[in-house]
Amino acid sequence: MRLGLFSDVHANFPALEATLGTLDEEGVDFLLCLGDVVGYGPHPREVVQLLRRRNIVCTLGSSDANLAFPFAKTEREGVADEILDWTREQLTDEELHWLRYLPVTYRLHTPFGRLRGFHGLPYQPEKRFPLSKPSAELIPVFERLSSRIVVTGGSHVPFHRQVGDYWLIDPGSVGMTLGGEPGADAMILTIAEDAVEVETLKIDYDIGQTVFDVQAWGLPDVVAQAIRNGGLAEEL
């Protein structure tokens, strides 16, 4: 089984289009997006429409939740809330409805065992999974989740590690990577009964177009800087 894994699109349509094109060329069997499909970027409608048109399974991210459920929104520092207010004005009621019904977690049966996917923590997409915790502290988490593979989004930096007989994976960010190299992050998991092989992808896309659209919509320049640099010059 070959699983195409990606996360944190953040309304960056050229990055999503290039990512899906690459994963299609690689011939993956299934696509899974781990949330934060909107927020920060200039193309919320185009991104939502493409994901819906492709019928790609997505879990609910923190930006998605803050947008879809404004009554439960958590205040955040930086420019995130300002951009989410703008994003809400761009989306139709139908598109907001789609966001509201994204699952918080997703279970997938694989040859290696059960895979559990979510943004942040299970049922808490606004939190961050402790990726670097000692193995002895992580193994009980895998056991509670009844999953041999745990995939999570939110760090914006590609990460994977084997923890005993389990795997912990964050594919990074399609639309706003913070790993220090511009481009879109994604992963391909080749899953067999006795092994998991992780391939990390850095995908080129038209960064200039996204930066132009950020500026054309009058969105904060820190977003354009982060996309250009593959990292933050200042806090978002």
Side-chain angles (χ1 to χ4, degrees), residues 18-215:
T19 297
L20 293 180
T22 296
L23 293 173
D24 287 343
E25 290 173 2
E26 291 288 339
V28 298
D29 303 305
F30 190 80
L31 293 167
L32 177 60
C33 173
L34 298 169
D36 270 7
V37 302
V38 295
Y40 295 120
H43 313 117
R45 290 204 70 193
E46 295 90 337
V47 163
V48 169
Q49 289 170 1
L50 179 55
L51 292 170
R52 292 182 68 195
R53 187 164 63 247
R54 291 286 306 266
N55 199 30
I56 292 171
V57 173
C58 301
T59 62
L60 182 74
S62 55
S63 293
D64 309 324
N66 280 331
L67 183 66
F69 305 103
F71 57 85
K73 187 172 77 170
T74 55
E75 297 296 326
R76 295 185 292 178
E77 297 180 358
V79 300
D81 288 343
E82 171 190 344
I83 297 173
L84 285 178
D85 290 341
W86 173 84
T87 300
R88 191 175 292 107
E89 295 175 357
Q90 310 307 310
L91 296 176
T92 66
D93 289 342
E94 183 181 1
E95 290 157 353
L96 287 168
H97 179 83
W98 179 80
L99 287 173
R100 290 187 192 104
Y101 281 87
L102 292 178
V104 179
T105 70
Y106 186 77
R107 296 173 178 86
L108 180 68
H109 292 284
T110 78
F112 191 73
R114 178 182 285 177
L115 177 149
R116 186 84 169 266
F118 45 81
H119 190 92
L121 291 174
Y123 305 106
Q124 292 180 295
E126 75 281 3
K127 304 292 187 179
R128 290 293 170 264
F129 198 97
L131 299 170
S132 58
K133 259 192 173 184
S135 297
E137 296 180 36
L138 283 173
I139 287 175
V141 176
F142 287 98
E143 292 173 345
R144 284 198 301 273
L145 293 172
S146 300
S147 301
R148 294 194 68 192
I149 308 171
V150 169
V151 294
T152 180
S155 77
H156 289 228
V157 178
F159 176 93
H160 61 90
R161 64 185 280 206
Q162 190 169 6
V163 183
D165 294 329
Y166 305 95
W167 279 90
L168 176 59
I169 297 166
D170 185 322
S173 173
V174 167
M176 189 173 290
T177 183
L178 301 181
E181 181 184 356
D185 302 323
M187 288 183 178
I188 297 175
L189 310 186
T190 302
I191 305 173
E193 290 184 4
D194 58 351
V196 176
E197 178 184 332
V198 181
E199 180 182 359
T200 300
L201 305 177
K202 177 64 73 171
I203 300 164
D204 292 330
Y205 69 93
D206 191 348
I207 292 174
Q209 181 63 60
T210 299
V211 168
F212 177 86
D213 291 341
V214 168
Q215 296 168 337

